[in-house]
Amino acid sequence: MDKLLIQGGQPLAGEVAISGAKNAALPILCASLLTAEPLQLANVPHLNDISTMLRLLAQMGVEVTLDGADGLVLDGKGLNNPLASYEMVKTMRASILVLGPLVARCGEARVSLPGGCAIGARPVDQHIKGLQAMGAEIKVEQGYVHAKASRLKGARICTDMVTVTGTENLMMAACLAEGETIIENAAREPEVVDLANCLISMGARISGAGTDVIRIRGVERLTGAQHSIMPDRIETGTYLCAAAATGGEIRLTRTSAAYLDTVVDKLMDAGCDIVTERDAIRLKAPSRLKSVSLRTAPYPAFPTDMQAQFMAVNAVAEGVATIRETIFENRFMHAVELMRLGADIQIEGSNAIVRGVDRLEGATVMATDLRASASLVIAGLVARGETLIDRIYHLDRGYERIEEKLARLGARVKRVH
Ligand code: EPZ
């Protein structure tokens, strides 16, 4: 099992390019199931989760062809096996995103229920409820969702809570339904908008993506299209936090601050100078950060996927910050690992009280989930001495070539097998 070895204390400096967004690419890969024509994608990140999804689609009969450095062509013409097995789904819960497209295109689907994961139970009841509203017959047996529908019918759906992949699954299913579907309480995340833009280029009739009411008028079929995946705003935010925590100065290209307002605001409150360019963003950290409290919530509020990274920033800031996690019930596992590095954190229910310390000391720590791992990398870059992070397969799911990009920024980091 790979580990990451970090010699901390080096401020990050320099420039790296940000990759395509994992959480936009995953649903967009599944959109290839909706058409018998080729979907040509660019700026696809090289991540384990992406490879897992491609293996799953290929098993179903989608033809996957690499197209240059970060391009792909997906051809759903040969789709003949609407099954997502437990073996595939247990390694990546986003596999649930094949459910809506399969029912819409094939009239049936057998998709394993994703297990829970470290950060929470993460049920998919809203995905199922929405498809049932569109006329799908759904049974959940032996850990699988069995769905059948001769043709989905447009419906008015209001999800009980804001769900990103729930909104994406239902939006994709509705593209081929008969009549109009209205999704209320829809997720407004930029990745939902990127998926909608891709679907519209395939001939879907969607309005309201990015707001909490999305209208989809079903069509007979979708065509192929070309689409470039949006930049990864969470990868962008992660590097910004790393530069802030290490007292560095960096420039991130092929990205923008457009979808990171709340993270940029919090980093500026912490004392960072941030300059946004058309497709780049620069950060210069202050000599000492100020503690900044935050509360996670659905977009456009502070993203839960940046909570762990910002806890590492607050760990070495001046003052006391309260971090409130409102989306997932167990997303503070990085806190106990940060404490091993000397952070002063108190967990009280869904609040974490972080008292900034003057310095962190390197230690051996363990990654538990994707963003918790990123938080430990940031803390390791700041800590004096050596930090060894175990189970970094979590990192590889969501950060492309992380040690390469960090090394370009002057970090002393290497992967040990
Ligand atoms: C997406 O997960 C992201 N993953 C997550 O990113 C992100 O943390 C999350 O949205 C919130 O922004 C992808 O896009 C692939 P939700 P998702 O459905 O869609 C509850 C990362 O680090 N819920 O918006 O699974 C759920 O338990 C990952 O890249 C139900 O109860 O999250 C949670 O408490 C981690 N029933 C809340 O809603 C449902 O049917 C929000 O979950 C669906 C969700």
Side-chain angles (χ1 to χ4, degrees), residues 22-23 26 94 119 122-127 161-165 189 304-305 327-328 331 370-371:
K22 167 177 84 79
N23 290 351
L26 288 171
I119 62 178
R122 299 182 72 182
V124 290
D125 53 300
Q126 301 298 307
H127 302 236
M161 80 294 292
V162 174
T163 158
V164 175
T165 50
E189 270 68 5
T304 174
D305 287 351
I327 305 285
F328 291 110
R331 201 169 198 176
L370 170 55
R371 306 303 174 183

Side-chain angles (χ1 to χ4, degrees), residues 228-249:
S228 183
I229 306 292
M230 67 176 281
D232 194 317
R233 62 192 170 100
I234 305 300
E235 184 193 19
T236 303
T238 302
Y239 283 102
L240 291 176
C241 284
T246 56
E249 180 168 2

Side-chain angles (χ1 to χ4, degrees), residues 333-354:
M333 280 160 307
H334 42 284
V336 281
E337 296 301 312
L338 290 172
M339 291 177 209
R340 288 179 49 73
L341 297 168
D344 177 353
I345 303 169
Q346 229 172 313
I347 305 295
E348 291 166 7
S350 54
N351 286 327
I353 319 294
V354 186

Side-chain angles (χ1 to χ4, degrees), residues 99-121:
L99 178 62
L102 286 176
V103 181
R105 172 91 185 284
C106 312
E108 62 173 327
R110 279 186 62 218
V111 177
S112 165
L113 275 173
C117 84
I119 62 178

